[in-house]
Amino acid sequence: MRRRSFLAAPALLLARPGFAATAQGEAARGLVAALRAGGVVVVMRHGITDRSQVDTGDLSNRAGQRNLSEAGREQSRRTGRALAALGVPLGQVLASPVFRARDTAELAFGARAVVEPLLTADDYTPDAAQLARQIAWLRARTGRPSAAGATDILVGHIVPLGMVLGRGLAQAEYPEGSLAIFAPGQDAGRLMGILAAETLPQ
């Protein structure tokens, strides 16, 4: 399906600082420390997908979606193991109902993952008013951890996060499986940076 233009919903585009690439070195270590300390919200992109598959926009049909590749399935498992080994204090784990996001959450975090329709991808949300509600919810949710000291994980998609940030996100900046980490805020979280899955200690 064709991606929705950012210009189609200008009221949703909220200026935020840009990040040119995933964090490395000291910046990455600082993000890992934030995960371990808790009190942050992570918008995790689904894992690596099979690009030979095409989305049809049918949420109920796995065969009509772009699904995780075997590399993406293993990446998701590694991420879950890495966060557990770091002692990250997991709070809520919510996932888009699109299978690649749902599978990522379940492989990484097991039974604690809960499907959240408000995380549905833009190309599975044909109604513009509903998409606006989803983006508003995601923007607010980035600034609101579920509990003190908890690290909440929201497993979703690149375009909705870009709409929250007010700009397109490049694949190199927010690759499949990466974690965008937000500090709490009154109306929305503050993007601290983006951590590639491969940067997590294995």
Side-chain angles (χ1 to χ4, degrees), residues 179-201:
L179 292 78
I181 301 166
F182 289 83
Q186 184 172 359
D187 298 318
R190 175 180 60 84
L191 180 60
M192 301 172 67
I194 296 175
L195 194 62
E198 292 69 27
T199 305
L200 291 170

Side-chain angles (χ1 to χ4, degrees), residues 136-152:
W137 176 87
L138 180 57
R139 178 175 183 270
R141 191 63 180 75
T142 61
R144 191 180 69 249
S146 61
T151 294
D152 292 345

